[in-house]
Amino acid sequence: MRRAIAIAEQSLESSDVPVGALVINPVGEIVGEGMNLRERDNDPTAHAEIVAMRAAAITANSWRLDNHILVVTLEPCAMCAGAITQARIKTLVFGAWDAKAGAVGSIWDIPRDPRSPYQVEVFAGILTDDCGELLRGFFKGKR
């Protein structure tokens, strides 16, 4: 999670919300990293999780990220939670909860929905204060 926080901190230089993500392969190597790039790239799908999974899929030479771990500083939204499930990520680890758009327990729980064809193991609230402080500081500067 500390590496994901460092990635998020890099995005503070832009106008994107500071969220960082990384994907770890089954042997423990980081194979993809990402930060929010929506503002920079004018891409509504360029959330940190999607950017990291795209990089991991290129590294793995496969869209299937079976047995991979995704670590992200903020609870994924519905789009990202769906993509995590579709990529067959084995484990999701996230920091801060997102009471407005969270789809891994706050509003919805897409990765653990029993109707989903793929279940994701979830570890939530890891370094939640550190992850949340990054976001609070960002939005305080915007208001």
Side-chain angles (χ1 to χ4, degrees):
M1 184 61 74
R2 295 255 182 240
R3 177 66 191 141
I5 291 169
I7 295 166
E9 287 171 340
Q10 292 173 17
S11 71
L12 289 171
E13 299 167 12
S14 72
S15 57
D16 278 294
V17 176
V19 177
L22 57 93
V23 178
I24 302 168
N25 71 11
V27 296
E29 302 165 328
I30 296 174
V31 293
E33 294 184 341
M35 65 181 79
N36 276 350
L37 299 174
R38 293 184 312 165
E39 298 295 333
R40 189 194 81 180
D41 293 354
N42 293 314
D43 179 353
T45 68
H47 290 200
E49 302 95 312
I50 302 294
V51 173
M53 287 189 294
R54 285 178 180 154
I58 290 168
T59 301
N61 197 31
S62 175
W63 62 268
R64 291 175 169 264
L65 298 174
D66 302 284
N67 298 313
H68 285 63
I69 299 167
L70 175 68
V71 179
V72 61
T73 57
L74 179 65
E75 178 184 3
C77 69
M79 174 185 71
C80 293
I84 289 163
T85 302
Q86 289 299 311
R88 294 169 172 78
I89 293 284
K90 179 183 178 185
T91 305
L92 168 65
V93 178
F94 72 86
W97 292 92
D98 186 347
K100 293 183 180 179
V104 188
S106 288
I107 298 175
W108 303 283
D109 198 349
I110 293 169
R112 294 179 287 198
D113 189 314
R115 297 168 292 186
S116 175
Y118 305 101
Q119 299 294 304
V120 178
E121 179 180 43
V122 176
F123 295 95
I126 308 303
L127 295 178
T128 191
D129 291 338
D130 294 344
C131 294
E133 186 55 39
L134 208 76
L135 294 161
R136 283 187 294 278
F138 173 80
F139 285 113
K140 184 177 180 181
K142 295 285 183 188
R143 294 181 182 139

